[in-house]
Amino acid sequence: MTHGWKITVIVLAVTGVVSTPLIWLLDGPDAGQLAGASIQAAVGIAALVWALFQHADDRAEVTAVRTGSARASGGGRAVTGIRRQGRGSGPARAEQTGNATAVDRDSNATTGIDYS
């Protein structure tokens, strides 16, 4: 969630918690209005809590362009591009990466993006 969307959700959630329930409760609500105000406040609070726990996705794009060659041997790893743990986070792009060579059986070579 981008920082802008996070702020928008927080503002809307606070508005939902305060606006209509406050108007209903100041006007001497009946049972239906009290129930509606309680539900609206609960939904607004849930949205607020959800938005507060979201991580901002304002990460820059990772780019590897025109990398050199790499050679792995003796169980090593060669990556000409980008190596990430798991799926990574944020966008990644690799263009015109160099040659990666694995010399023996226990070695690993990757050109481009390696999600290991």
Side-chain angles (χ1 to χ4, degrees):
M1 172 180 280
T2 64
H3 186 67
W5 275 111
K6 186 173 182 177
I7 296 297
T8 302
V9 171
I10 290 171
V11 168
L12 290 174
V14 169
T15 303
V17 169
V18 174
S19 66
T20 305
L22 181 63
I23 293 169
W24 283 347
L25 295 176
L26 290 177
D27 192 30
D30 61 17
Q33 289 175 326
L34 186 58
S38 299
I39 292 169
Q40 184 174 345
V43 169
I45 291 169
L48 179 62
V49 169
W50 175 79
L52 290 175
F53 283 103
Q54 295 299 308
H55 294 286
D57 287 338
D58 292 335
R59 297 194 175 127
E61 179 179 26
V62 177
T63 305
V65 179
R66 287 177 288 202
T67 60
S69 299
R71 178 183 165 111
S73 62
R77 170 173 290 189
V79 178
T80 62
I82 300 168
R83 181 167 183 244
R84 292 187 143 182
Q85 299 291 7
R87 295 302 304 161
S89 60
R93 184 170 54 100
E95 296 178 359
Q96 302 172 0
T97 57
N99 295 326
T101 305
V103 175
D104 47 40
R105 183 174 217 155
D106 295 330
S107 301
N108 184 337
T110 305
T111 65
I113 302 173
D114 180 14
Y115 292 103
S116 51

